[in-house]
């Protein structure tokens, strides 16, 4: 395409710098809060959708890595956290240090430079150490400290990652204390007051030991999101369980079916009655791709039409599921030619573009080229809609595609 629109990516990632919690927690909590320790790696596996690292004793054999230490958790930085800039054949499951990753993973000046290379104007970033919906703090023992960690992360996200140095090009994404819906609602409102319009949530909360979306437990949180115009953003893996088929399935199995949890989650939401009760709610599925959506919508409509009398939804799902999808749900993709060929069955207004920087699946530094190759059959107005227009409208950005709380683009 002669002139391709600047991309607004709705799914990138930040690797948090070591100081995030140490600079923001009260002094009495700093030795207990998340902190970086350099130590050897003894063993690390990723089988059956489960990531299992083990830290070696000081001075023991094994490659040195930077580890997040928090309560009983020992979590190393890995090459899968930040793989951009490395040939695909060299991207392996290995523990690394900050010096071994591309600086744009954790530093704003270098991130903006990498975005320029990739034809990306603005980006919404999911967490790394807190995990994709902040479940690290939900799974912690001390929820008083966990709440402070959630707030510290959000303060860093707004004030530093999306601060003046970002020139409005970074879009803030908050986490919430998922263990308490009232506290979660309060954190949504606290951040909405300073311009945050997106919040992380789990695709399948019961996998975290939390209530399902079919209960009323989440209503305070959902009400806060609706009233503040905050988008509920669900990333693959935000249930602490990547899809897999067996405990011994290699990672390639899960990598092929990463969309599956999004698929299950979307059906949950469409059959929950929440959209009829909260008509202003908007949800999005990050990194789930879109090719699977047409069949699920068609099947959900058939079930709603023919089976709702015995299916447990007749009295709460008052609107056809495909209509609910059109009003409330957004699918996100970065590499899905099949989905784009079936865009009419999804709806161009319900699709967002992403680059997944700096993960191993990322299309960086070729996101523009990939989009041009896969969107060549679409008209210019539709391309504009997919790569930036829908995101600008959904996330309340300026007409130029910037976050208003972060200044202008230089």
């Amino acid at each position: 395409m002669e002139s391709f629109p600047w991309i607004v990516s709705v799914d990138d990632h930040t690797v948090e710098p070591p100081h995030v919690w140490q600079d923001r927690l009260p002094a009495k909590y700093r030795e207990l809060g998340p902190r970086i320790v350099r130590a050897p790696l003894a063993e690390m596996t990723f089988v059956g959708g489960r990531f299992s690292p083990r830290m070696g004793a000081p001075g023991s054999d094994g490659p040195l890595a930077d580890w997040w230490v928090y309560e009983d958790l020992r979590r190393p930085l890995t090459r899968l956290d930040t793989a951009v800039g490395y040939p695909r054949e060299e991207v392996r499951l290995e523990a690394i240090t900050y010096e071994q990753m591309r600086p744009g993973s954790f530093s704003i000046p270098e991130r903006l430079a990498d975005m320029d290379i990739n034809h990306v104007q603005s980006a919404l970033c999911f967490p790394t150490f807190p995990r994709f919906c902040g479940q690290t703090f939900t799974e912690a023992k001390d929820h008083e400290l966990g709440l402070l960690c959630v707030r510290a992360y959000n303060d860093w996200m707004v004030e530093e990652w999306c601060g003046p140095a970002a020139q409005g090009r970074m879009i803030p994404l908050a986490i919430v204390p998922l263990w308490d819906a009232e506290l979660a609602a309060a954190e949504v409102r606290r951040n909405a007051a300073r311009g945050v319009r997106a919040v992380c949530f789990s695709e399948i909360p019961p996998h975290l030991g939390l209530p399902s979306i079919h209960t009323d437990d989440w209503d305070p949180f959902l009400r806060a999101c609706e009233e503040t115009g905050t988008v509920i953003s669900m990333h693959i893996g935000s249930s602490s369980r990547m899809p897999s088929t067996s405990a011994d399935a290699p990672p390639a199995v899960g990598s092929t079916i990463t969309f599956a949890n999004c698929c299950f989650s979307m059906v949950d939401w469409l059959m929950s009655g929440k959209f009829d009760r909260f008509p202003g709610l908007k949800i999005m599925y990050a990194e789930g791709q879109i090719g699977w959506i047409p069949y699920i919508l068609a099947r959900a409509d058939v079930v709603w039409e023919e089976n709702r009398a015995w299916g447990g939804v007749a009295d709460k799902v008052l609107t056809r599921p495909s209509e609910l999808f059109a009003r409330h749900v957004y699918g996100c993709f970065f590499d899905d030619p099949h989905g784009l060929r079936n865009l009419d069955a999804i709806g161009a207004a319900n699709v967002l573009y992403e680059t997944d920087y700096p993960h191993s699946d990322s299309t960086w530094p070729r996101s523009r080229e990939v989009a041009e190759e896969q969107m060549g059959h679409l008209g210019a107005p539709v391309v504009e809609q997919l790569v930036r227009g829908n995101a600008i409208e959904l996330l309340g950005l300026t007409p130029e595609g910037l976050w208003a709380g972060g200044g202008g683009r230089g």
Side-chain angles (χ1 to χ4, degrees), residues 220-395:
F221 168 72
L222 302 182
R223 188 172 299 109
C225 291
E226 181 183 42
E227 291 176 357
T228 60
T230 298
V231 181
I232 297 174
S233 306
M234 292 172 280
H235 195 285
I236 59 166
S238 57
S239 57
S240 293
R241 191 184 304 177
M242 292 297 289
S244 191
T245 55
S246 63
D248 58 350
V253 172
S255 186
T256 302
I257 57 174
T258 52
F259 71 92
N261 282 354
C262 297
C263 175
F264 301 155
S265 174
M266 191 178 81
V267 175
D268 253 355
W269 279 85
L270 293 176
M271 298 300 186
S272 69
K274 297 304 182 188
F275 293 138
D276 284 299
R277 292 187 53 218
F278 298 98
L281 271 183
K282 305 286 187 183
I283 68 173
M284 58 168 268
Y285 287 100
E287 208 173 323
Q289 312 299 343
I290 58 174
W292 52 273
I293 292 174
Y295 171 74
I296 291 298
L297 293 181
R299 176 60 184 164
D301 279 357
V302 169
V303 170
W304 183 79
E305 286 279 4
E306 299 183 2
N307 299 338
R308 66 178 182 266
W310 62 263
V313 297
D315 59 344
K316 63 179 181 178
V317 182
L318 310 179
T319 309
R320 183 184 301 274
S322 60
E323 294 177 20
L324 292 175
F325 174 88
R327 297 174 192 171
H328 301 277
V329 185
Y330 294 79
C332 309
F333 80 101
F334 57 83
D335 183 10
D336 191 347
H338 176 78
L340 288 169
R341 287 195 297 271
N342 291 276
L343 189 61
D344 287 346
I346 303 167
N350 297 82
V351 174
L352 306 167
Y353 195 53
E354 57 187 49
T355 77
D356 197 30
Y357 178 105
H359 283 182
S360 60
D361 261 346
S362 177
T363 50
W364 186 93
R366 296 189 64 257
S367 297
R368 172 181 176 169
E369 289 79 3
V370 170
E372 288 178 321
E373 291 165 6
Q374 298 187 2
M375 299 183 196
H377 63 293
L378 301 174
V382 175
V383 173
E384 173 90 14
Q385 191 177 14
L386 299 184
V387 302
R388 62 183 285 109
N390 289 339
I392 288 171
E393 180 179 358
L394 180 65
L395 298 171

Side-chain angles (χ1 to χ4, degrees), residues 3-237:
S3 177
F4 194 80
W6 278 88
I7 296 165
V8 176
S9 174
V10 297
D11 171 31
D12 286 358
H13 299 265
T14 177
V15 177
E16 299 80 17
H19 67 268
V20 170
W21 290 276
Q22 292 300 298
D23 283 0
R24 288 170 176 78
L25 288 175
K28 69 175 182 177
Y29 284 114
R30 285 178 194 153
E31 292 187 5
L32 302 174
R35 56 208 180 276
I36 286 289
V37 172
R38 185 160 291 185
L41 172 72
E43 182 183 24
M44 183 163 60
T45 59
F46 185 31
V47 179
R50 296 288 185 178
F51 175 54
S52 302
R54 185 164 60 86
M55 180 189 285
S60 62
D61 292 336
L64 283 178
D66 284 333
W67 295 72
W68 282 107
V69 175
Y70 173 55
E71 293 192 342
D72 296 332
L73 180 64
R74 304 292 184 268
R75 199 279 194 195
L77 303 179
T78 77
R79 177 58 62 214
L80 300 187
D81 295 330
T82 171
V84 292
Y86 283 77
R88 295 287 173 137
E89 62 272 14
E90 294 180 16
V91 177
R92 299 180 176 87
L93 183 63
E94 60 179 341
I96 61 172
T97 66
Y98 279 95
E99 289 81 7
Q100 293 172 289
M101 67 174 68
R102 194 170 181 88
S105 304
F106 60 87
S107 175
I108 281 296
E110 291 88 350
R111 171 61 67 95
L112 297 186
D114 280 353
M115 289 164 63
D116 288 341
I117 293 170
N118 204 30
H119 201 71
V120 172
Q121 179 185 35
S122 309
L124 181 85
C125 293
F126 283 83
T128 297
F129 171 70
R131 309 220 298 288
F132 295 147
C133 67
Q135 63 265 51
T136 292
F137 304 120
T138 295
E139 294 169 356
K141 299 172 185 175
D142 185 343
H143 279 163
E144 180 179 354
L145 173 56
L147 180 59
L148 292 173
C149 288
V150 166
R151 290 174 175 166
Y153 176 85
N154 290 335
D155 290 345
W156 169 80
M157 168 63 63
V158 172
E159 298 164 6
E160 190 171 332
W161 188 251
C162 300
Q167 305 169 33
R169 298 178 65 185
M170 307 310 296
I171 307 162
L173 174 63
I175 58 176
V176 293
L178 291 169
W179 60 89
D180 186 312
E182 294 285 358
L183 289 176
E187 190 63 12
V188 166
R189 297 183 192 280
R190 183 176 83 93
N191 289 292
R194 49 185 176 174
V196 179
R197 290 293 178 269
V199 63
C200 300
F201 191 65
S202 175
E203 58 204 351
I204 307 177
H207 286 180
L208 302 177
L210 299 171
S212 82
I213 201 65
H214 299 289
T215 70
D216 295 335
D217 296 67
W218 295 109
D219 284 6
F221 168 72
L222 302 182
R223 188 172 299 109
C225 291
E226 181 183 42
E227 291 176 357
T228 60
T230 298
V231 181
I232 297 174
S233 306
M234 292 172 280
H235 195 285
I236 59 166

